[in-house]
Amino acid sequence: MADINLKEVTLIVGVVTACYWNSLFCGFVFDDVSAILDNKDLHPSTPLKTLFQNDFWGTPMSEERSHKSYRPLTVLTFRLNYLFSELKPMSYHLLNMIFHAAVSVIFLKVCRLFLDNKSSVIASLLFAVHPVHTEAVTGVVGRAELLSSIFFLAAFLSYTKSKGPDNSIVWTPIALTVFLVAVATLCKEQGITVVGICCVYEVFIAQGYTLPLLCTTAGQFLRGKGGIPFSMLQTLIKLIVLMFSTLLLVVIRVQVIQSQLPVFTRFDNPAAVSPTPTRQLTFNYLLPVNAWLLLNPSELCCDWTMGTIPLIESFLDIRNLATFTFFCFLGALGVFSLRYPGDSSKTVLMALCLMALPFIPASNLFFPVGFVVAERVLYVPSMGFCILVAHGWQKISNKSVLKKLSWVCLSMVILTHALKTLHRNWDWESEYTLFMSALKVNKNNAKLWNNVGHALENEKNFERALKYFLQATHVQPDDIGAHMNVGRTYKNLNRTKEAEESYMMAKSLMPQIIPGKKYAARIAPNHLNVYINLANLIRANESRLEEADQLYRQAISMRPDFKQAYISRGELLLKMNKPLKAKEAYLKALELDRNNADLWYNLAIVHIELKEPNEALKNFNHALELNPKHKLALFNSAILMQESGEVKLRPEARKRLLSYINEEPQDANGYFNLGMLAMDDKKDTEAEMWMKKAIKLQADFRSALFNLALLYSQTAKELMALPILEELLRYYPDHIKGLILKGDILMNQKKDILGAKKCFEKILEMDPSNVQGKHNLCVVYFEEKDLLKAERCLVETLALAPHEEYIQRHLNIVRDKISSSSLIEQPVFPAAKTSGVGEKILAENVKEIGSEPRPTQIIKTSDNKSQSKSNKQLGKITDKETPHKTTKDIKEIEKKRVAALKRLEEIERILNGE
């Protein structure tokens, strides 16, 4: 084996870069969404051990809905990407491109075992540019193929060094091979098939046996005419070690999946549930289909499931000729490679092994898989194909007559493949471009119509999305997921009647319960979401809450481990004012998933409804332990701490609000509540800064506008408060507290009695029984020296609040003035401190303590999408003020009451002429 040189490496890396540079500008599409965007195993907050407990998609291997794809080392590389660039796709695509270049270089080294230098480079170049690899390289989830291939080839190269002088065994390369096989298998399951290739290499390449020689030796041994040669015994020992190691890996792998195969539906792989001979004929036909993709990659498709390839239901189907031709050609190559000695036969044999053995796990021949055809699983088999092509080219080019033609044809193949790859990469730019390109190849796959609809739905283009979803139901009328998608889109378009009809159609297509048979094993877990979506729809009608609850319970009865049903039911029970039952539902969901931060958050909301703030805070803290960046938990736990009135909790509340605004820098509520905390701590400058930031983000932020004005008023900056109040009253002309504060400033600072009078009169127009507004208007009448009118006004005010002592005292003072005015000339009263109106806000807290959102918002479930689309659970907060007063608020009221009474004493002294 000749070593590869730097020029060859540079050439291959350069070609890979030229073919895949545009993949760097692609996003996360198709399966990337589930494996990357929705996979919490990528987050640094998730313990590393969880990677070895969950499948490739972040689902616990113990759960039945798990795909059973165990690839923790691949997920670990995703996690490293996340550590450096979080969810920016460019770094993920760059690493994939680097891995593909590495595989191509290592493959060149493997080719040197069977081909000459020139042919090896050609095989490696063809592999580097082959368009069928775009799914494995440009699709981020294809990294499993890339990583597995690196260790796959490394294991094989290591094994080739296990033969020492005089046919002795070198154990170090064998041990390294076993280790590399295990690593390859932890990247993707097909990595284990390299053991079979090592066995074939040992017998037919390293030892040079042919099939006739093996048969002759075995026959002589069985007839007792000869023993087993020493070299063959050495070979047997090596094979036994390899096979034992493989068996151990298989046992471990079976234990990991807990002896359960994943649950697939007939939509994923129709042939897998078809009767004999349809199943066998279709599965065998898929072999030449895959071979044709390698030979002619002109029409590539990201999804070959459902009706893409119609079932072969008869021996008379013309497609059986393709199957027959394929097996004849494969058999002829097999006979040639096994029967005849020589370098050519050895090359063909290893090429066939590289094509066939790694493909076995995806072939459906031994166990069903969740797809019909998948281009990414051809990544390793294409290596054998490239070796065959390069070897054939070598044979042709050796003939002088065809030498130039062979070079021209080879150059054309490599160039057209490279251009096709470059063009194909753009299809992976977005989900819309990917699925639209697939529909050009295949219009009989309902899943493709669904996924184009999903892409449009994500862009809020519901009308166009509906057309594609409806087309999916026409292509596959019994597709439950398609009818669910139609229902969800009708709901988004506020066409609830049609939405319910679509959900009911999907529900009617669900398999019927068969006595004695486990229901969950016969249905895709996401199809049960039809009950969740239908219940979420009808519970908008208050009269149908019990009906919605019945749907949730029905889903739970079908699948007791259906976590989403418990979550949705808990939310409904809260709406039905049954917090104790809601608590039970969430506790049941937590039994199924104790590491779900959203569940702990929702349980905290239940405790708030149960008036158990301490328990609520504990659950908020638990949610933040699992996800320190849980935005709603950060915000609402900070509000809870703030409302508790405990000074010792304020620093932590501030810390959480700062974390919240770091996560949600455009949410004015975070800045507002930081301002309220600063006001509580008498940090006026800081409070002013936070309030201004809140108003900058949300100009009509009611509470922020009022409290900033109040802050100015309390810090002797009344004139600065006035324009803020004008802005507040422009958005909210009925804001009574704002009108009172404005009237106070106009009366005391601007000496604008008429302006103050208009404010108080407007309050009484909206609320004739408002004691504050009424009393302050009485003071205005007194300032206008209309004592009789002031007296009548105070009498009316006293009738509204007969227990308010200060009103009675003021009435007595006015009456005394009326009596004395008939005897002597009424004195002129000083105007500086005539009213103190703003200090008379005695019946309610001066501050508006409620931010625009409610701090007790449940994380709601949204309609669940089918067809490999995942949903995020994040509730939005409703636009309400806090309706209740805390202990802190009451203390604040008392402080204001004391201050007001002092001002009233000053007014009394003025009125008495002291």
Side-chain angles (χ1 to χ4, degrees):
M1 178 179 65
D3 289 331
I4 57 178
N5 58 53
L6 183 59
K7 288 183 180 179
E8 293 169 336
V9 172
T10 304
L11 173 63
I12 292 170
V13 172
V15 168
V16 168
T17 304
C19 288
Y20 286 99
W21 65 267
N22 57 337
S23 70
L24 301 180
F25 304 100
C26 297
F28 294 119
V29 297
F30 204 15
D31 289 339
D32 297 347
V33 175
S34 299
I36 308 295
L37 299 182
D38 298 337
N39 191 347
K40 294 181 180 179
D41 288 349
L42 273 64
H43 301 171
S45 58
T46 303
L48 274 175
K49 66 177 183 179
T50 307
L51 272 65
F52 295 88
Q53 297 170 347
N54 294 348
D55 67 12
F56 188 52
W57 316 98
T59 305
M61 294 291 290
S62 57
E63 292 190 14
E64 192 169 3
R65 65 189 177 95
S66 168
H67 198 273
K68 309 301 181 186
S69 304
Y70 189 65
R71 303 162 192 173
L73 296 186
T74 303
V75 179
L76 183 61
T77 65
F78 292 152
R79 185 166 174 140
L80 291 174
N81 272 120
Y82 187 92
L83 184 64
F84 287 105
S85 64
E86 294 194 348
L87 294 176
K88 296 176 182 176
M90 181 174 286
S91 72
Y92 294 79
H93 289 293
L94 176 62
L95 196 53
N96 270 25
M97 188 171 73
I98 292 171
F99 285 147
H100 179 54
V103 173
S104 300
V105 171
I106 299 172
F107 177 57
L108 172 61
K109 198 171 181 67
V110 171
C111 291
R112 288 286 163 81
L113 293 168
F114 316 111
L115 299 169
D116 61 26
N117 290 355
K118 191 182 298 181
S119 301
S120 298
V121 173
I122 289 170
S124 183
L125 285 175
L126 185 58
F127 175 81
V129 304
H130 204 295
V132 83
H133 297 158
T134 51
E135 183 172 344
V137 182
T138 310
V140 178
V141 295
R143 186 177 298 178
E145 319 290 335
L146 308 176
L147 280 175
S148 180
S149 298
I150 289 174
F151 296 107
F152 179 102
L153 296 176
F156 177 68
L157 287 173
S158 175
Y159 186 80
T160 60
K161 299 176 183 178
S162 65
K163 182 181 178 181
D166 301 324
N167 209 26
S168 60
I169 301 176
V170 183
W171 289 106
T172 301
I174 294 178
L176 180 58
T177 297
V178 172
F179 171 76
L180 291 172
V181 170
V183 174
T185 306
L186 289 175
C187 293
K188 191 176 181 183
E189 298 77 3
Q190 71 180 27
I192 201 170
T193 60
V194 72
V195 173
I197 294 173
C198 291
C199 291
V200 172
Y201 175 84
E202 176 65 30
V203 174
F204 295 100
I205 309 300
Q207 301 302 328
Y209 297 127
T210 61
L211 191 59
L213 178 60
L214 288 175
C215 292
T216 302
T217 303
Q220 290 177 351
F221 176 75
L222 291 174
R223 290 194 297 269
K225 294 183 178 180
I228 300 177
F230 178 74
S231 61
M232 192 171 288
L233 285 174
Q234 294 278 72
T235 300
L236 284 173
I237 291 172
K238 292 169 75 173
L239 296 182
I240 289 171
V241 170
L242 281 178
M243 298 308 295
F244 179 79
S245 302
T246 304
L247 181 63
L248 183 62
L249 287 174
V250 170
V251 170
I252 294 173
R253 184 67 174 83
V254 170
Q255 289 296 317
V256 167
I257 66 172
Q258 301 184 0
S259 303
Q260 291 180 337
L261 289 174
V263 178
F264 298 120
T265 69
R266 59 190 175 86
F267 302 111
D268 298 316
N269 191 347
V273 294
S274 300
T276 303
T278 299
R279 181 169 65 254
Q280 290 77 12
L281 291 174
T282 304
F283 282 159
N284 281 287
Y285 171 69
L286 295 180
L287 300 177
V289 169
N290 281 280
W292 182 250
L293 285 174
L294 291 174
L295 190 63
N296 179 29
S298 59
E299 293 188 338
L300 299 176
C301 181
C302 63
D303 194 317
W304 295 80
T305 56
M306 304 188 87
T308 304
I309 299 178
L311 298 174
I312 298 180
E313 300 177 318
S314 168
F315 288 102
L316 300 178
D317 194 308
I318 192 68
R319 290 175 293 171
N320 288 322
L321 288 177
T323 305
F324 178 76
T325 303
F326 172 78
F327 277 107
C328 286
F329 179 72
L330 195 66
L333 288 177
V335 169
F336 168 76
S337 61
L338 291 172
R339 185 171 182 178
Y340 301 104
D343 292 340
S344 182
S345 61
K346 291 178 180 179
T347 300
V348 172
L349 177 62
M350 292 310 300
L352 290 176
C353 287
L354 277 170
M355 288 178 67
L357 294 181
F359 186 73
I360 287 176
S363 66
N364 284 290
L365 297 178
F366 296 99
F367 50 83
V369 294
F371 53 84
V372 179
V373 174
E375 291 162 14
R376 62 179 176 270
V377 304
L378 294 174
Y379 190 76
V380 176
S382 69
M383 295 178 185
F385 172 79
C386 292
I387 290 175
L388 273 182
V389 172
H391 182 58
W393 174 86
Q394 178 188 352
K395 292 293 184 182
I396 295 172
S397 64
N398 286 337
K399 298 178 181 180
S400 58
V401 179
L402 300 174
K403 187 172 184 178
K404 289 184 178 179
L405 181 62
S406 67
W407 274 106
V408 171
C409 291
L410 178 67
S411 300
M412 288 296 296
V413 167
I414 292 178
L415 179 61
T416 54
H417 277 39
L419 291 175
K420 172 67 175 178
T421 298
L422 190 66
H423 181 265
R424 173 66 173 158
N425 288 333
W426 290 121
D427 291 340
W428 293 80
E429 185 178 12
S430 68
E431 295 210 318
Y432 180 77
T433 57
L434 179 64
F435 297 128
M436 285 301 292
S437 70
L439 280 177
K440 294 176 184 177
V441 176
N442 170 33
K443 291 181 171 57
N444 296 322
N445 186 342
K447 191 173 179 181
L448 293 175
W449 293 99
N450 277 317
N451 283 333
V452 173
H454 285 311
L456 292 168
E457 185 181 32
N458 291 336
E459 296 172 0
K460 308 299 182 186
N461 194 339
F462 298 122
E463 291 287 354
R464 284 189 65 200
L466 181 61
K467 294 178 181 178
Y468 282 92
F469 289 142
L470 288 171
Q471 182 62 30
T473 63
H474 295 150
V475 172
Q476 189 88 33
D478 58 349
D479 182 6
I480 297 172
H483 289 286
M484 289 169 62
N485 293 334
V486 171
R488 186 181 61 257
T489 310
Y490 275 133
K491 180 184 176 183
N492 289 331
L493 292 169
N494 295 319
R495 296 164 63 176
T496 54
K497 182 180 178 182
E498 293 97 327
E500 184 172 350
E501 289 173 356
S502 297
Y503 285 141
M504 292 301 293
M505 173 61 74
K507 184 170 174 284
S508 69
L509 293 172
M510 297 284 283
Q512 299 301 309
I513 296 176
I514 300 174
K517 190 167 184 179
K518 190 175 181 182
Y519 191 88
R522 299 184 298 108
I523 186 170
N526 65 326
H527 283 174
L528 278 176
N529 285 326
V530 66
Y531 293 94
I532 306 298
N533 294 353
L534 181 57
N536 289 346
L537 178 70
I538 66 175
R539 77 182 195 186
N541 186 339
E542 295 289 338
S543 64
R544 301 181 70 182
L545 296 182
E546 289 293 342
E547 186 180 347
D549 189 34
Q550 175 63 31
L551 285 167
Y552 291 136
R553 284 186 278 127
Q554 188 175 355
I556 291 170
S557 68
M558 290 179 175
R559 194 179 186 93
D561 64 344
F562 193 13
K563 177 181 64 180
Q564 195 60 54
Y566 292 106
I567 295 173
S568 299
R569 185 166 185 251
E571 182 186 343
L572 175 68
L573 290 169
L574 271 180
K575 185 176 182 179
M576 296 170 70
N577 198 26
K578 297 179 180 179
L580 289 175
K581 288 189 175 181
K583 180 180 176 182
E584 291 177 9
Y586 286 129
L587 288 174
K588 183 63 179 177
L590 280 169
E591 290 178 14
L592 299 171
D593 184 5
R594 295 196 65 81
N595 294 321
N596 189 320
D598 291 339
L599 282 175
W600 288 104
Y601 171 84
N602 285 355
L603 188 59
I605 300 303
V606 173
H607 282 295
I608 288 177
E609 295 296 322
L610 291 171
K611 311 298 182 186
E612 297 173 351
N614 292 333
E615 288 298 315
L617 190 56
K618 288 180 183 177
N619 288 305
F620 279 139
N621 292 340
H622 205 140
L624 291 170
E625 287 174 12
L626 294 169
N627 180 9
K629 293 184 178 181
H630 194 292
K631 291 180 282 192
L632 289 178
L634 284 169
F635 180 80
N636 290 311
S637 62
I639 300 301
L640 197 61
M641 292 175 176
Q642 185 179 359
E643 290 187 343
S644 71
E646 295 187 33
V647 177
K648 63 181 181 180
L649 293 179
R650 287 181 190 169
E652 180 62 24
R654 185 177 186 275
K655 179 181 175 183
R656 293 188 182 186
L657 285 172
L658 288 171
S659 297
Y660 176 75
I661 63 173
N662 186 53
E663 294 297 316
E664 286 287 341
Q666 299 303 312
D667 186 1
N669 296 291
Y671 300 99
F672 168 75
N673 283 285
L674 280 167
M676 296 301 292
L677 273 175
M679 287 182 72
D680 291 340
D681 291 333
K682 309 301 180 186
K683 298 177 180 178
D684 299 332
T685 304
E686 182 181 338
E688 179 184 0
M689 176 191 70
W690 292 124
M691 292 296 181
K692 284 183 175 179
K693 285 188 175 183
I695 295 167
K696 184 178 180 180
L697 287 170
Q698 186 179 336
D700 61 344
F701 199 150
R702 173 188 173 112
S703 298
L705 286 166
F706 176 77
N707 283 289
L708 179 59
L710 180 64
L711 178 66
Y712 285 143
S713 175
Q714 291 175 341
T715 54
K717 300 177 182 177
E718 290 88 346
L719 296 181
M720 292 178 67
L722 204 55
I724 303 296
L725 288 169
E726 294 287 356
E727 191 73 6
L728 171 69
L729 294 171
R730 183 169 69 87
Y731 289 114
Y732 308 101
D734 58 347
H735 196 290
I736 291 177
K737 293 180 185 178
L739 288 166
I740 289 176
L741 187 56
K742 180 183 177 182
D744 175 36
I745 295 172
L746 291 174
M747 175 74 76
N748 290 295
Q749 303 300 321
K750 302 283 286 184
K751 312 303 180 186
D752 184 358
I753 297 175
L754 183 60
K757 183 178 182 180
K758 289 180 179 179
C759 290
F760 301 138
E761 286 177 343
K762 187 170 183 179
I763 292 171
L764 294 177
E765 286 178 11
M766 295 182 291
D767 181 12
S769 61
N770 187 286
V771 175
Q772 295 170 268
K774 187 81 172 176
H775 174 266
N776 291 344
L777 185 60
C778 299
V779 176
V780 169
Y781 293 151
F782 181 84
E783 286 294 316
E784 292 177 336
K785 301 180 182 180
D786 192 341
L787 298 180
L788 294 177
K789 198 169 185 179
E791 180 190 22
R792 289 196 301 273
C793 179
L794 285 169
V795 170
E796 293 172 1
T797 306
L798 187 63
L800 293 174
H803 303 294
E804 290 292 349
E805 183 183 347
Y806 75 93
I807 299 176
Q808 182 65 60
R809 286 205 311 273
H810 286 186
L811 178 60
N812 293 337
I813 291 171
V814 170
R815 284 173 172 169
D816 289 343
K817 289 296 179 182
I818 291 172
S819 300
S820 62
S821 66
S822 62
L823 301 175
I824 59 174
E825 185 180 353
Q826 184 170 316
V828 177
F829 301 107
K833 296 184 179 180
T834 50
S835 99
V837 178
E839 302 294 343
K840 298 185 182 64
I841 306 176
L842 304 177
E844 56 183 310
N845 185 11
V846 178
K847 289 185 183 178
E848 283 199 15
I849 61 172
S851 57
E852 293 299 298
R854 280 277 294 165
T856 52
Q857 173 62 33
I858 203 77
I859 290 185
K860 296 184 178 179
T861 56
S862 58
D863 282 352
N864 297 281
K865 295 181 182 179
S866 64
Q867 308 298 344
S868 76
K869 304 295 287 183
S870 302
N871 298 314
K872 297 179 183 177
Q873 288 185 337
L874 188 62
K876 291 186 178 179
I877 311 173
T878 57
D879 186 23
K880 296 181 182 178
E881 294 182 46
T882 306
H884 61 279
K885 295 181 177 61
T886 63
T887 304
K888 181 191 69 173
D889 302 331
I890 296 171
K891 290 179 180 178
E892 198 71 31
I893 291 172
E894 291 301 320
K895 288 167 63 178
K896 294 298 177 183
R897 185 187 294 275
V898 171
L901 289 174
K902 289 181 180 179
R903 292 295 301 274
L904 287 173
E905 290 174 1
E906 294 178 10
I907 293 171
E908 289 170 10
R909 286 197 296 272
I910 294 170
L911 293 174
N912 288 323
E914 294 177 2

